[in-house]
Structures are given as C-alpha cells and as structure tokens.
Amino acid sequence: MLSGFATCPGLFYATPAEDGILSRIRIPGGIINSHQCRAIADIAEQHGGSYVDVTNRANLQVREIRTGINAEVLKHLQDMRLGSRNTVVDHIRNIMTSPTAGIDPQELIDTRPFVQSWDNYIAAHPALSALSAKFSVCFDGGGIVQVCDRLNDIAFAAVLVDSNVYFRLYLSVGAKGQPPSDMGILLPPEECLPVLEALANVYLAHSHTTSKLRLRELLNTLGCENYLQEVQQRLSFPIFYSGTREYLTPPEKGEEFSLQREGKYQHIGIHPQRQQGLFYIGVVLPLGRLESRQIRGLADLATKYGSGTLRLTPWQNLLLTDIPQQWVGDVQSEIAFLGLDSSATNIKSALVACSGKKGCAASATDTKSHALALAKYLETRVTLEHPVNIHFSGCEKSCAQHNKSDITVLGVSIEAENGTVEGYHVYVGDSKQKFGRELYKYVTFAELPVLIERMLYVYKIQRLNFNESFGEFANRYAIAQLHQLFNNNPIQNLKSKIECPTTFEMPTKYTVIPLQSSGQKQT
Ligand code: SF4
C-alpha cells in the first residue's frame, strides 16, 4: 500500500487531493523509455483516472487514485527504475535538466551523466531525507533549450570561458519565487558534483538544528558568504576560481538572471539533433495531460521510429527523439492521429494552470477547465507567430510559477448580483514581480476570453517586431497606457489592422463590457 502522506508527494508518499489520492513519479531529467511509459499507463488505468499529468519539474503524476497501490506494484515500479531504490528520499524534488541534453546542436556539455550521478548519490544517502523535500537541483548544458532560469535551490549553468567549459553556480536566495542568484563562481565540470555534495552537506548540517528549512531561508539568515565558506572547508580544492575576473562579477541586486537565452518553447515542433540525420519532435500536451491511450501511442511511436526514448519537459510538454529524417512526416501524422499537436504556435504550447478547484482545496477557480476553454476560444480567433505564456493560478501560492509568464491570471471569487462567480486578477509581463504588473482586477471568467483576445490583437499590432514577446511589449508601457490600448480598441477595429485567420468571427457569447480596474471586494 501507499506508505502514508507527506506535504510533497512521491511514489511512496501519496498526497490526498480534492479528486482523490495523488502519486508523483520522479523521472530524473525527464528522460523515460517506452517500457516505463506503458507501465505508468497501466497504473493510471488500474488505480487512477486513466490519465497522467506532466508537472513543471518533468515528473509524472497519477491522480484520482482511490484504491491504493499495493506493495507488489510499487516493487515492480522500483524495478523499472520508476521509483527510487531508497524510499525515504523518493519524494525529494526531481532533478532538472534541459530536455534536449545530449541532442542539442548548440549545447556546451551533455548534462545527463550529472543527473544520473546526482540521482545515484541521493539514493545512496538517506540522510538527505532530513532536508526539505523541496530541495531542488538543476544542470543546464548551455544549449538552445535552457532551464537555468527555472526555480531551483541550486543551479549549475554551463558557460564557455577561454574555449573551456565551466559551470557557473547559482543559489536560491532572497525573496520567494526569485530565480537563483549568481554566486560568481566558475567550476570545471569535474568539480561540479563534489561541490554539490558539499553544498548539500552544509545545508544538512544546519537542517539538523533548524528543521526542514528551505535552502533560501538558510541563506537569508546565514548569508551566502558564510555558507560558501563552510562549503569550502569540506573541499580539497578552492572553489573561488581566480582567473577571468570578468566572468566572476555577480549581477547587480535584482538584475535579471544573466544567462537567460531566448526561446524556451523552441522545443515544440520539428528540430534537428546534433546527431546528423536525426530529429526530435516537440509535442504539445494540453496543460501537461496525457490520456493512457496517448501514452501508449507515443511509446509505440518512440519504439517504431526512434530509440524508444521520450523526454518530458519542465514546460509540461514532451519530446520524441532520434527520429530519422525520412520518418518525420509519418510521425507527425501519427501524433495528430493520437489527438495531439506539434505546432509551436498552438496556444496550448505555452498555457499553464495549477491543479485548480478539482485538485486543490485552496483554489478559488477551476483553473484547468478555464485555461482549456480559453485556448479553445482563442484557437480559431488569434494566430500566433510564437507562443504567448498564459498562466492560471487558483491562489497566490503560485504553483504555476508566474515569474516567467507573459500574462498571469490569479483566481478570485467575485460577488455578483446572482451570487458568487469565479474570476481573475490579470497581470502582465515584468518577471521581477511575483505575478507581473497588475492590469485588471476582478474580471469574471465570462469576460476573460474576449479581454485576452483583445490584448493579443493589440500586441500583434503594437509589437516592435515578430521577436518581441508579449511580456516585452507590455513592459514598454505604463499600466494606464495599456488600459488605453486595451480598453479603447473594440475587436472589430483591431481586426481590420492585422492579418486575421479567415475563420475569424466576432464572439456572440461574450459582450465587451467596460472592465473594472479596481474596487470590488473579494469574498
Ligand atoms: S496555486 Fe494555490 S490553488 Fe493552485 S495548486 Fe497551488 S495551492 Fe492550490
């Protein structure tokens, strides 16, 4: 049987949710093979809701479990390397790396061996269970598809210095929700894991006296310098690399994460691999969800056309890899036959929602259903040249990680004439603020689709060029100016100014009503 509940779910630490028990299967680096996919499809069908969700750390979640998973099945999953061989550390956060590690034509270093080694280290060191289960580590190989700006306690990001590859060290410090900060330290690849071990052990030493502190909280009280000095004492080599000073200057306080590269959704669609003649295909999973028949179908495609490997992404999508060029078209057709899409301009490719009312008691709104309804509404009305990130959260806890979104909507209850209705506060751009800048308050869900449609049309007209993201466009204007742009432009007028899909029709279900910018009380 599942062995009790914990605040952070794992395969052996199931968590109760509104829709049943939730079990999270850790997939280090998000790399999974077709046999493991089929085993998970079986579990989802026999014990859960016949679907799985890919999470924003590239885990897989089985939801709606009612009958429990017995010890024999858990052992089978362990044997298939779908659960840690050491159950007490199975719920520690998944190790993150780029989903294109080892196949990215521009990466500086393949990070898969680092992920594997650190996963082995965790399994061999049960003492790490004394750390917060949210202890999180990331390795970024410096390729096109970056993960170094994701929220992690510790991030190693590959850079090239004087033709040599190093990892820069970033640690989580400061306010909650901020990306990790540059420590001004360069590490040769071979020093990365010993330093990580020392970082974890110093964290552990302090955790014995102060229970389950997040690393960020420890650093905020201890100070980064003191922490790193203690780390240094545990190492036989100096971690303060003395050469190439220009690479060692930490960014100014509050400065944007310095290693950001463009194009986090560049993994969707067809892309050449570093291995000549092979391609990977990024598949859009609507809000990360896959029905069990789709998991099996994708596993079959991976076996038939590729190397039997699939990769889950922190953006809740999936890659099929190692496809020879001559089969790419066939694989795309078969993906479509499974009811999935592989187009980067699909609005769902950058749509994120937290569990919402159906899965979480804290939620004010049914985020997932609303997000899918919004995507359905926009799909035939707005054509995007590149993805716009729209994040739905049911409460301020922000499990949907808003700091990287273009548009954030935060669930609230709104008092209306006929009782309480579900709605959202709307935020745009500016990744330095938790949700972005507040644009509208108390927008009912009935108003939201037309409002977002209007915002997207204005963006398409006003952006500086095709590469300017919605967030960058919004950041160029004061909120009052954005109100003017969005409120004073009926969709009919906007439509005449840009190229529209021929299928465009004016909405009949929703009326464009004046939007409140403040004032109503949350219930
Ligand atoms: S953001 Fe809030 S409502 Fe959504 S899953 Fe997290 S805690 Fe629940």
Side-chain angles (χ1 to χ4, degrees), residues 354-356 360 362-363 393-395 397-399:
C354 77
S355 305
C360 177
S363 188
S393 250
C395 82
K397 205 169 163 195
S398 181
C399 298

